[in-house]
Amino acid sequence: MKQAIATFIAKAAHKLRKEKLKAHFISVFIATNRFKETPYFSDSASFTLPLPSSHTPDLTRHAHAALEKIFLENRSYKRAGILLGELCRETEMQYDFFTEDPLLAKKTSLMKTMDHINNKFSLSPLFFAAEGVVKNWKGLSAKCSPRYTTSWNE
């Protein structure tokens, strides 16, 4: 479950950086299959970040902390996801008087470098270990709508 959440965070953080945004709020949700004979379980947890961020490791750390609050062992989960909120522009962040990030420049440089390399190659050669080297889960994309307006092949 942690691998899936880390993968979702990495994709969302990449989109944030692409749009030059940062998130100040993160929510994680999980659910079992409501149509199975086992009892249905669904829960979510949220965190407000001390400073808005689009740094993948920071967001992953907070998402994993939220997941640990709601995850129950011996359940067969069907759904998991994340929500990022309170988005703000990178240039218009409101800083807290007592909170600062001394590594902000290094984090920004690292993410720019990773994004540059991953954009240059089609298979995204760089990823975080939290996403898993071997994915032991599979996303549900069997019932996707056709992309008539964005894909000539469909």
Side-chain angles (χ1 to χ4, degrees):
M1 187 64 68
K2 282 187 169 186
Q3 285 182 359
I5 295 296
T7 301
F8 299 152
I9 286 287
K11 288 180 181 180
H14 177 73
K15 289 178 183 181
L16 283 175
R17 291 188 299 274
K18 189 175 177 183
E19 297 293 327
K20 299 192 182 334
L21 296 172
K22 293 191 175 197
H24 200 276
F25 171 82
I26 185 168
S27 181
V28 176
F29 62 90
I30 56 175
T32 60
N33 189 345
R34 69 177 71 224
F35 301 108
K36 281 199 171 180
E37 294 160 7
T38 58
Y40 177 69
F41 173 77
S42 170
D43 203 356
S44 66
S46 302
F47 272 105
T48 300
L49 304 174
L51 289 172
S53 179
S54 62
H55 186 243
T56 304
D58 286 347
L59 295 173
T60 302
R61 183 170 31 90
H62 289 289
H64 283 174
L67 181 64
E68 287 178 12
K69 289 171 77 175
I70 59 175
F71 186 80
L72 298 176
E73 293 290 332
N74 301 324
R75 302 266 177 154
S76 178
Y77 290 99
K78 176 155 178 93
R79 180 161 308 175
I82 58 135
L83 297 169
L84 299 177
E86 296 184 29
L87 303 180
C88 62
R89 298 234 175 255
E90 288 177 343
T91 56
E92 300 170 0
M93 286 183 6
Q94 182 172 352
Y95 289 96
D96 186 351
F97 185 70
F98 301 106
T99 308
E100 66 177 85
D101 190 356
L103 300 174
L104 183 62
K106 288 184 179 183
K107 289 178 180 179
T108 304
S109 175
L110 171 68
M111 293 291 96
K112 279 185 180 178
T113 303
M114 275 191 74
D115 289 342
H116 176 73
I117 291 170
N118 284 339
N119 289 338
K120 192 172 183 178
F121 301 100
S122 62
L123 296 176
S124 297
L126 298 180
F127 59 90
F128 290 94
E131 296 177 57
V133 177
V134 177
K135 305 243 190 268
N136 56 5
W137 60 279
K138 185 177 148 190
L140 298 176
S141 58
K143 296 182 181 181
C144 286
S145 300
R147 299 171 294 170
Y148 295 123
T149 59
T150 58
S151 175
W152 286 106
N153 295 333
E154 293 181 17

